[in-house]
Amino acid sequence: SQTIHQWPATLVQPVGSPLSLECTVEGTSNPNLYWYRQAAGRGLQLLFYSIGIDQISSEVPQNLSASRPQDRQFILSSKKLLLSDSGFYLCAWRSKAGGLNTGELFFGEGSRLTVL
Amino acid sequence: AQKVTQAQTEISVVEKEDVTLDCVYETRDTTYYLFWYKQPPSGELVFLIRRNSFDEQNEISGRYSWNFQKSTSSFNFTITASQVVDSAVYFCALSEAPQGGSEKLVFGKGTKLTVNP
């Protein structure tokens, strides 16, 4: 069966420090991968998605970046965190079964980032 | 562009009451997919249902039921005889078909449901 893990679960970082959140999917190959952010009192905002290795699409301008160095690994990074980067970050994967990307997303446990 | 609106920010009910969570969507595609997710206090999103735009049949799964109406662009979710364990934030989401859209799943802002004993 497929599983998705992301870490760390909780992170407290000072403004201006770097960030690295990791996400790994197991039990599937060539998935679509996503990073969403959930700010307090708001919905899920899509930050990045990837359809393959080194293929990243950015949805909103920001000081975050994403990379996909391996098929089932998705990394969210920042060189210098801002206060506004605080939030709950969720990684998700989606199957390309049948060549159609219409299936549901499966989410990781989430990473709660607090920038002070 | 895709858009999902969940007008109800918070709903509070007493156990055993029925409750309906509203979802209205916007899309220019004729082929699209709608989803509902549950986010319990633990934070992880749990998939509940997927419905494609060509299937307007209502669906029932235990105490959960979904009413999809293309005429009003709505995909409402009803919980019958609610229980305390139903307390969570519920998200409606929309994905356009790959031919005319993108790989994205766009979410509404969620409805926080509290079921009191």
Side-chain angles (χ1 to χ4, degrees), chain A residues 27-65:
Chain A
T28 187
S29 59
N30 195 28
N32 282 356
L33 296 173
Y34 302 79
W35 277 110
Y36 281 86
R37 176 170 60 199
Q38 186 177 22
R42 299 179 64 180
L44 291 159
Q45 180 186 34
L46 178 61
L47 301 176
F48 301 95
Y49 67 90
S50 170
I51 62 172
I53 294 175
D54 294 330
Q55 295 177 276
I56 311 292
S57 296
S58 175
E59 285 298 298
V60 293
Q62 57 206 317
N63 72 323
L64 298 171
S65 62

Side-chain angles (χ1 to χ4, degrees), chain A residues 32 34 36 38 44 46 49 59 88 90 94 101-105 107-108, chain B residues 33 35 37 39 43-45 47 50 91 95 98 103-105 107-109:
Chain A
N32 282 356
Y34 302 79
Y36 281 86
Q38 186 177 22
L44 291 159
L46 178 61
Y49 67 90
E59 285 298 298
F88 190 54
L90 286 153
R94 191 183 204 184
N101 302 289
T102 56
E104 57 271 23
L105 292 182
F107 286 84
Chain B
Y33 293 79
F35 305 80
Y37 282 83
Q39 186 180 39
E44 184 175 346
L45 269 85
F47 165 74
R50 177 184 68 164
F91 290 95
S95 176
E103 312 292 335
K104 299 186 296 184
L105 213 67
F107 286 80
K109 292 190 175 182

Side-chain angles (χ1 to χ4, degrees), chain B residues 60-76:
Chain B
I60 299 174
S61 176
R63 295 183 297 106
Y64 295 171
S65 63
W66 291 268
N67 183 0
F68 176 31
Q69 292 195 345
K70 290 179 74 171
S71 60
T72 56
S73 297
S74 65
F75 186 42
N76 296 338

Side-chain angles (χ1 to χ4, degrees), chain B residues 93-113:
Chain B
L94 166 69
S95 176
E96 293 171 340
Q99 292 80 359
S102 68
E103 312 292 335
K104 299 186 296 184
L105 213 67
V106 174
F107 286 80
K109 292 190 175 182
T111 298
K112 182 179 180 181
L113 173 66

Side-chain angles (χ1 to χ4, degrees), chain A residues 3 10-12 29 32 37 41 43-44 57 59-60 64 71 73 82 85 87 89 92 97-98 105 110 114:
Chain A
T3 57
T10 305
L11 199 59
V12 180
S29 59
N32 282 356
R37 176 170 60 199
L44 291 159
S57 296
E59 285 298 298
V60 293
L64 298 171
D71 180 47
Q73 183 185 27
L82 305 173
D85 292 325
Y89 290 82
L105 292 182
T114 303

